[in-house]
Amino acid sequence: MNRRSLGFLGGAAGVLFAAAVFAAPPSTSDPRAAASSTSTAAGRDPTVLALERLALSIQRTTLENGLRVVLNTDPSSPTVAVSVTYDVGSRNEGPGQSGFAHLFEHMMFQGSKNVKKGEHFSLISERGGTLNGTTSADRTNYFEAMPSSELALALYLEADRMRWLNVNAENFENQRAVVQEEYRMRVENAPYARGMLRLGEIAFSDYPPYAHSTIGSMEDLARAQLSWVQEFYQRHYAPNNAVLTIAGDFDPDRALELVRQYFGPAERREIPPFKVEPPTTPSPGKREVVEDKNANTPGIGWAYRIPPFRTKEHYALELAALLLADGESSRLYTKLVREQAVLQSVSAWTDDRRGPDEIVLFGVLTEKAKVADVERAFTEAIERLRKTPPHAVELQRVKNRLKHDFAFGLQSNLRRAVKLGEYEVYFGDARLLTRDLQSYLDVTAEDVQRAAAQYLLPELRYVIEVKPAVRAPEVKP
Amino acid sequence: VNRFGARLITPAVAVSLALASCQPQGAAPPAAPPPASTPPAIAPSSDATIAPPPAGVVPDAPFPTIQKRELDNGLGLYVVERRVHPLIELRLIVRSGSATNDDKPGLAVVAGELLKAGGAGGMSPLQLIEKAESLGTNLDVVTDRDSTRIGLNVTAGHLDAALEILSAVATRPAFLPVEFKKLRDREIERVKSSARGSAAWAASMVLYRELYELPTSVHPYSRYDAMPGELEKLTLADCRAWHAAHFVPSNATLVVVGDVSVDDVLAASHKVFSTWKGTPAPKPSVSNPFPPKERAVYLVDRPGSGQSQIYVGMIGPERKSADWPGLAVANQVLGGGVSGRLFQDVREKRSLAYNTGSSLVEVATGPVALVLSAGTQTAKAQDAVRALLENLELIADRSPTDAEVERARTFLSDSFLFRLETVGSVAELTSNLIVLGLPDDYYDEYRKAVRGIGVQNVAVIAGKNYDRTPIIVVAGDAAVLGPQLAAFGPVAVLNPETGFTLKRSFPKKP
C-alpha cells in the first residue's frame, strides 16, 4: 500500500542538516501558499538553509596516494558512518563477465590479510555497528555505521581489504552460490523483474557498458573464474580509484590522522581510464514480449534514452517523471489506477546514471485491462508533456516533494556518507549534492515541456510487454 | 529521480536490525591500544599481523523524553521534542488492526485505507491527497495486526496543516461508495498478484494460519492477509461500522516527534480533535493457540519455481514476558544480522541461501511467533530445511558461547543508537510502545537488561523457548519438493491461488 519506496539508496536524494535551530516559515492552512516559495517573510526556507549549512560542514582532501577523502561532521547523533566508494561498477565488466563486479563485492567480505573469514562481520557486530556493500552500474560502495567511538575500527577494516584482499577457491565458490541465490530471489522468483532487466538491455543495446544488468546472467556467473578476482582487484581497487567518506560525530583532525595511518601506505596504481562514448545517433525503438510465471497480470514498461544525471535536461525530465507517477496525486496514478482502474500500480523514474541515462514508465495491469488501452493512455500522457508546459500549481507540488525528500532523506549519517561519496566519484565534488535542490527548483514549466519534446519521441521508445506465463494444467492427485 | 534505486543496486548482504538498544562497556575484543601520539604505521610489505584497534567507550544516548498529555475526550498525545532538524513526524495510532477483523478478513485494511481513499473532511479523494502531497509528504495508512497507523511528515511550520489532514481522515471520512468499490477491487487484485507472485506472502499465509490455529474458533493473529473471495464479501457498511467502533479517541494516540513544543501540539490538536467522540472500542478476545503435537510440513505449490522460501516457526512467550531481553539475545545469536549462526552457517559455510535469519514477530496480546527463514534453490531446499532445524536444535540444546552472547548483547545495546538518528525512526519506536502496551522508559530498561544478562541465563531462556515442535512451511515447486520434504514430517501440498486448498499429501517417510 505504501507505494513510494525511497529505498536506502533511492535516487533523488535527501540531505541532512547541520545541528541548528532554523527559523520556521509562517504557518498556514493553505499548503500551496505555505510551501510554494523558497523564501518567506519569516526568513529563508529551512531546507535551503540546511543545505547551505551542510555544504559548510564538508571538508575534502586528497592523500598523496590519490585517495580522496570527504569529511562531513555533524554532532547531532553519537554515531559515525564510513563509506568507501570505488569508481568501478558493472559498466566496467567485459563481454561474458556480467555480474562480476557484484560477485567481487561479495569477495570483499571474505577476509583480508589481518581479518579472517567471518571476522569482518563479527568485529563490526560486536562493536554495535552495521555494514553492507552495494554495486550499481556506475560504482561499488562498502559502508559501516558505527557508534562514534568505533571510527578507527571501520577505517582499519576498510584499509585492510583495500590493501590486502585475501581470497581462495573455497570462498569464491561459496559466494558464487550465494550470489546465484540472490539472482533467484531478485529475478527468477520476483514478478516483472525479468522484464525490467530486459527493458534495460534493449534500451542500452548500443552502449555496451550499460547493455547488461548489474546482477548479470546466471550463465556468466557460472563462468566466472577465481583468477578474475585478483585481476579485477589489481585493476580497480587502488586508493586513487576510491573516495572515503566519513559522516557524523567525529573530530576531523583526529579522523584525518587515522585515515593517514590506515590508508596512507596503500599504494597508488595506474588505473585504466573508462572511456566509452555513447553513439551520437540514437538507435531506433524496439519492442519485445517477456513471459513471466510470477506475474498474475500483464505489465508494460516503456523506456527512453535521456542525457546523463545532473544535466539541465535531466533535471527537467526528472520532474516530468514525478508529474507522471510520483504519489497518488500524480497524473497516471489519478487516471489509470484510481479513476479507470486499468493499472494496479504505476511508476516512473530515471536511473540517474553518470553515462547516458533512461527514463522509464512501468505499470502493472489489472485483470480486466488491455495492454493496448494502457499504452494509448501512456501515449496521451507523454504527448501532453511534450506539447503543454505543466501548470504552475502542479509543478510546484512536485518541487515541494523533491524538497521534502532532501529535507528528510539524509538525516542519517549513513545515507549522507553514501550520497556524498557518489557525488565525489561521479562529479568530482561531494558538495554538488548540496546544490542540486536549487537546480530542481530552477526548472521552469517550459524546460519540462522542451526536454520532453526533445527526448520522449515515439520512434525512440523501447517497450517490454510482460505476459503472464500460461499456468500448467492441474494434475489430479 | 530514482525511488526504485535499489533495482539496479545489489547489496552484498541484507542486514536487518533486530530490536536493539544502546550503551557502552560491552565490547573488549583483542588488541593492545596503540599509543595515541605515535600511531604505528602499517608497513605495506610487512608480514606482521596488525590487530584491530581497541574498542572505545560507546557514548550514552538514552531514549528521548516522551511528554504525555491527554485531551478531554481521552485522545492521548505523545510528544518528543527534537530540534536538531526542522522536521516533524506525525502518527495517529489507533490500537485496532487486523486482529479486530473477526469473521471478515481484510476489513481493517480496507476500512483503514478507505479513510484516505474515500475522501475526508469535505474534500474529495483527489483534493485530500493533493493537500497532503503539496506539503511534500505521503499520506500513509498502515495496518498491522494490532494497530492502524496514519502517518505523514512535514517540515517545521506545517504542524497545523498536518494535523488538519490527520483529523479529517480519522474523524470525518466520507466513505464514498464508488471509492469503496474501487478500493476493494484494488485489494482483490493485490492479493491475487501476491498469491501468484510472492513466495514470502504465500508462505506467510500458511505459517500464521498454522501457528495460531485454534480447534473451534479463529485466532485473530491466524490471518496474515485476506483472500479474494473474502474481500468480495466486504461491504461499505462493514467499513463504516468498523470505523465507528474502533476510531474513538480513547483508543487512539497522537505521536508527534521533531521540531515542535508540547504546548504547540496540545493547542493545535485541541483545535482539530476536541470534538471527536466515541464509546470505548471492543478488544478482540485472544485464546492461546495449541502447539502442534507433531512436526508437519506445509508445502505451498509454486510450479516451476527455482527458489523455495522456507520458514520454520513456533509460538513463543508473550511480548511482555520477563524473558524478552534474554530471548532477544538468543535470537541474535541464532539468526540476527551478519554474525548470527544462520548467516554464518547456512549462508557463509553451506552456501544454501542469500537471505537467511531468524526473527521475533511481536504481537500485543498473547504469544509472539519465532521464525527462522531461508531462500534456497529447489534442488537444495531439503538441505536448507535440515540446516535450519539443526540450528534450532543447537540453540535449544547447547549453550551459546561467551563470545556469541557478548557480541549479541553489545550489538543489541549499541546499534540502538542508529534507531535514534531520524525523527521517523523515533516516531516508530514511540508508536510501538503504545501498540505493544510497553512503559515509556521501556527502551532504556530493555537495553540495561540486555547488557546485564549472563550466558547461563540466555541458555536457559533459549532452551525454554526454542525446544518446541516447529511448523515447517515451504513455498516452492511441489512436484520436486513433495517427496523430499516428507523426510521431515507429513507433507500437505496447498494451492495458493485457490485459497490454499489441499492439492495432495505425502505421508511422513519413515
Side-chain angles (χ1 to χ4, degrees):
Chain A
M1 292 237 193
N2 186 351
R3 298 177 325 100
R4 189 163 66 150
S5 63
L6 246 176
F8 170 64
L9 293 164
V15 161
L16 160 131
F17 303 81
V21 179
F22 300 90
S27 163
T28 158
S29 58
D30 180 356
R32 289 177 185 176
S36 67
S37 74
T38 56
S39 70
T40 68
R44 314 257 326 273
D45 179 276
T47 307
V48 172
L49 199 56
L51 287 168
E52 289 175 7
R53 288 177 198 244
L54 172 61
L56 293 176
S57 70
I58 296 170
Q59 294 176 44
R60 300 162 58 243
T61 187
T62 304
L63 302 193
E64 279 177 21
N65 59 13
L67 178 70
R68 287 158 285 169
V69 182
V70 178
L71 304 178
N72 165 221
T73 51
D74 182 322
S76 56
S77 165
T79 58
V80 65
V82 170
S83 175
V84 181
T85 312
Y86 290 91
D87 193 349
V88 58
S90 58
R91 71 175 192 166
N92 300 85
E93 293 161 348
Q97 295 192 322
S98 71
F100 189 75
H102 170 232
L103 175 55
F104 180 88
E105 173 221 302
H106 278 242
M107 298 310 296
M108 285 283 276
F109 293 87
Q110 293 300 309
S112 47
K113 183 179 151 197
N114 297 295
V115 183
K116 289 199 284 287
K117 178 174 165 91
E119 263 189 6
H120 195 103
F121 297 128
S122 59
L123 276 167
I124 294 287
S125 300
E126 69 198 21
R127 306 274 183 101
T130 64
L131 59 86
N132 213 332
T134 73
T135 307
S136 76
D138 290 329
R139 58 59 186 159
T140 308
N141 64 13
Y142 303 86
F143 48 82
E144 295 79 31
M146 306 297 297
S148 57
S149 54
E150 305 307 322
L151 172 61
L153 178 70
L155 296 175
Y156 161 85
L157 290 169
E158 288 300 349
D160 212 63
R161 61 183 170 185
M162 178 186 279
R163 299 178 62 192
W164 298 300
L165 185 63
N166 195 3
V167 295
N168 60 43
E170 192 187 344
N171 292 343
F172 184 66
E173 291 309 326
N174 166 240
Q175 289 305 306
R176 188 210 305 270
V178 168
V179 170
Q180 286 169 336
E181 288 297 357
E182 183 178 355
Y183 183 93
R184 291 186 191 103
M185 181 187 84
R186 289 184 195 280
V187 182
E188 289 182 355
N189 227 12
Y192 310 104
R194 208 187 275 279
M196 296 316 295
L197 288 187
R198 186 63 194 147
L199 182 60
E201 289 170 5
I202 64 172
F204 288 107
S205 64
D206 60 357
Y207 187 65
Y210 291 163
H212 62 274
S213 66
T214 297
I215 191 78
S217 71
M218 281 297 239
E219 295 72 33
D220 286 353
L221 283 171
R223 198 182 296 138
Q225 304 290 317
L226 177 61
S227 64
W228 298 359
V229 177
Q230 265 312 324
E231 287 163 26
F232 202 79
Y233 185 59
Q234 289 301 322
R235 199 176 165 86
H236 299 292
Y237 280 73
N240 47 314
N241 203 38
V243 169
L244 167 68
T245 310
I246 307 175
D249 187 14
F250 62 93
D251 173 67
D253 294 335
R254 173 66 185 144
L256 209 49
E257 206 174 287
L258 287 168
V259 169
R260 289 185 195 286
Q261 173 191 334
Y262 289 115
F263 290 89
E267 283 178 77
R268 174 194 287 272
R269 281 199 301 278
E270 202 60 41
I271 300 295
F274 177 88
K275 202 119 192 86
V276 185
E277 292 300 329
T280 45
T281 49
S283 296
K286 196 174 177 187
R287 181 185 188 97
E288 284 185 16
V289 176
V290 171
E291 280 216 345
D292 190 332
K293 63 175 182 288
N294 296 300
N296 188 52
T297 57
I300 190 79
W302 282 16
Y304 303 88
R305 285 273 288 276
I306 61 173
F309 188 41
R310 292 194 84 258
T311 55
K312 190 170 189 299
E313 298 85 352
H314 197 280
Y315 289 118
L317 290 164
E318 286 180 67
L319 292 179
L322 296 179
L323 289 167
L324 287 175
D326 178 59
E328 296 179 10
S329 61
S330 64
R331 293 177 178 184
L332 293 178
Y333 184 89
T334 301
K335 190 170 166 199
L336 302 184
V337 178
R338 187 171 38 228
E339 285 174 16
Q340 297 179 4
V342 292
L343 292 181
Q344 296 185 45
S345 64
V346 65
S347 11
W349 68 88
T350 52
D351 286 354
D352 301 350
R353 295 167 188 252
R354 20 185 342 194
D357 200 24
E358 64 174 345
I359 185 169
V360 181
L361 250 71
F362 177 66
V364 174
L365 273 67
T366 54
E367 287 185 334
K368 65 167 190 183
K370 298 210 164 22
V371 170
D373 294 338
V374 171
E375 294 206 78
R376 198 169 308 119
F378 276 9
T379 301
E380 281 168 18
I382 295 288
E383 287 308 307
R384 181 177 158 203
L385 278 175
R386 299 182 67 217
K387 296 200 170 84
T388 318
H391 189 275
V393 170
E394 194 189 12
L395 187 61
Q396 189 59 52
R397 184 169 64 239
V398 301
K399 287 181 177 178
N400 288 350
R401 286 177 64 78
L402 268 172
K403 190 158 72 171
H404 183 272
D405 278 2
F406 272 87
F408 281 85
L410 288 186
Q411 292 173 74
S412 97
N413 290 325
L414 181 54
R415 285 192 65 136
R416 224 165 45 252
V418 164
K419 277 288 163 200
L420 291 171
E422 280 179 3
Y423 270 62
E424 186 70 35
V425 166
Y426 294 174
F427 310 113
D429 188 348
R431 289 170 304 185
L432 293 173
L433 176 63
T434 67
R435 293 181 209 158
D436 263 356
L437 176 61
Q438 197 54 52
S439 302
Y440 291 110
L441 298 180
D442 288 344
V443 174
T444 66
E446 289 68 31
D447 291 338
V448 174
Q449 183 249 319
R450 222 172 5 247
Q454 189 178 351
Y455 291 100
L456 310 186
L457 300 169
E459 63 272 23
L460 298 180
R461 178 197 308 146
Y462 306 97
V463 179
I464 289 289
E465 181 185 338
V466 177
K467 267 201 170 128
V470 179
R471 286 166 176 77
E474 285 284 301
V475 182
K476 289 282 165 214
Chain B
V1 173
N2 184 347
R3 296 202 160 108
F4 296 82
R7 170 166 292 119
L8 288 168
I9 295 175
T10 53
V13 286
V15 187
S16 61
L17 277 180
L19 183 68
S21 78
C22 135
Q23 228 310 78
Q25 51 221 333
S37 51
T38 52
I42 298 172
S45 57
S46 156
D47 285 319
T49 303
I50 302 158
V57 177
V58 174
D60 195 10
F63 194 78
T65 306
I66 301 170
Q67 303 187 68
K68 291 159 78 169
R69 299 288 186 275
E70 194 175 301
L71 299 189
D72 290 342
N73 59 8
L75 174 67
L77 305 182
Y78 277 44
V79 179
V80 177
E81 290 187 26
R82 249 173 91 90
R83 294 172 175 275
V84 287
H85 305 138
L87 308 175
I88 307 170
E89 287 279 349
L90 301 100
R91 304 278 187 279
L92 185 74
I93 307 297
V94 173
R95 289 184 303 278
S96 296
S98 57
T100 61
N101 286 340
D102 285 332
D103 57 347
K104 295 181 165 57
L107 174 58
V109 167
V110 171
E113 187 70 15
L114 186 61
L115 302 179
K116 172 179 78 163
M123 291 175 278
S124 73
L126 187 58
Q127 286 168 334
L128 172 66
I129 203 70
E130 280 183 348
K131 183 176 163 99
E133 293 188 353
S134 295
L135 290 166
T137 185
N138 286 347
L139 176 59
D140 289 322
V141 181
V142 176
T143 303
D144 61 23
R145 294 171 178 86
D146 297 305
S147 67
T148 303
R149 308 178 186 206
I150 309 174
L152 45 71
N153 53 19
V154 292
T155 46
H158 299 297
L159 176 67
D160 287 347
L163 286 173
E164 277 167 24
I165 293 169
L166 281 182
S167 157
V169 169
T171 70
R172 286 168 293 145
F175 286 121
L176 294 176
V178 60
E179 298 298 335
F180 165 73
K181 287 198 186 71
K182 286 182 188 167
L183 172 62
R184 188 181 56 186
D185 287 348
R186 290 202 292 273
E187 277 295 295
I188 292 169
E189 296 266 359
R190 178 183 66 77
V191 295
K192 281 185 177 174
S193 290
S194 299
R196 181 146 203 219
S198 170
W201 183 91
S204 297
M205 287 292 283
V206 176
L207 177 69
Y208 293 102
R209 186 186 83 180
E210 295 304 323
L211 283 179
Y212 289 99
E213 198 196 2
L214 291 175
T216 57
S217 58
V218 177
H219 192 285
Y221 297 143
S222 67
R223 302 303 309 271
Y224 177 76
D225 201 349
M227 289 184 281
E230 297 163 340
L231 288 165
E232 277 160 17
K233 287 188 206 134
L234 286 184
T235 66
L236 181 56
D238 292 334
C239 294
R240 285 181 178 279
W242 186 85
H243 173 258
H246 295 278
F247 269 63
V248 295
S250 58
N251 196 35
T253 309
L254 176 68
V255 174
V256 183
V257 177
D259 192 2
V260 292
S261 75
V262 67
D263 291 339
D264 287 350
V265 174
L266 185 60
S269 29
H270 187 266
K271 246 188 283 174
V272 295
F273 281 112
S274 58
T275 58
W276 192 16
K277 296 274 181 295
T279 51
K283 285 287 153 199
S285 75
V286 179
S287 334
N288 281 358
F290 294 96
K293 292 207 174 58
E294 65 160 350
R295 203 165 66 188
V297 181
Y298 299 87
L299 178 50
V300 184
D301 194 12
R302 306 189 75 237
S305 169
Q307 190 181 57
S308 307
Q309 179 63 44
I310 302 163
Y311 291 134
V312 171
M314 68 218 78
I315 288 298
E318 298 204 354
R319 177 62 183 81
K320 288 177 194 162
S321 155
D323 282 354
W324 191 263
L327 185 62
V329 172
N331 175 67
Q332 184 66 23
V333 169
L334 171 60
V338 293
S339 61
R341 289 179 182 178
L342 293 180
F343 187 95
Q344 288 302 323
D345 179 49
V346 179
R347 171 176 152 141
E348 296 291 297
K349 192 166 152 217
R350 304 200 214 185
S351 308
L352 288 172
Y354 169 73
N355 258 352
T356 182
S358 64
S359 55
L360 310 176
V361 182
E362 300 175 52
V363 294
T365 313
V368 305
L370 317 179
V371 183
L372 290 68
S373 66
T376 304
Q377 60 175 305
T378 305
K380 296 200 170 164
Q382 190 182 4
D383 297 345
V385 172
R386 187 171 296 119
L388 293 182
L389 291 173
E390 283 170 11
N391 277 286
L392 179 61
E393 213 166 290
L394 274 179
I395 194 77
D397 284 359
R398 203 179 301 166
S399 299
T401 66
D402 289 354
E404 282 180 320
V405 170
E406 176 54 36
R407 183 180 304 135
R409 282 193 307 223
T410 315
F411 178 82
L412 290 176
S413 166
D414 293 351
S415 69
F416 201 85
L417 294 177
F418 309 115
R419 306 182 75 193
L420 303 178
E421 275 191 19
T422 67
V423 285
S425 175
V426 173
E428 283 309 307
L429 288 169
T430 307
S431 303
N432 291 346
L433 293 178
I434 295 161
V435 174
L436 297 172
L438 300 168
D440 297 358
D441 60 353
Y442 176 76
Y443 293 114
D444 291 341
E445 291 302 314
Y446 162 79
R447 287 149 77 180
K448 207 190 287 172
V450 161
R451 287 193 296 275
I453 202 158
V455 177
Q456 260 322 307
N457 210 347
V458 173
V460 169
I461 290 170
K464 193 159 96 189
N465 289 289
Y466 286 109
D467 185 16
R468 299 175 192 224
T469 305
I471 285 162
I472 299 165
V473 181
V474 179
D477 191 342
V480 182
L481 294 172
Q484 292 179 13
L485 298 180
F488 303 109
V491 177
V493 179
L494 310 171
N495 184 345
E497 295 191 71
T498 57
F500 300 91
T501 49
L502 185 69
K503 252 177 141 171
R504 63 177 301 186
S505 48
F506 296 87
K508 181 177 173 9
K509 262 190 220 159

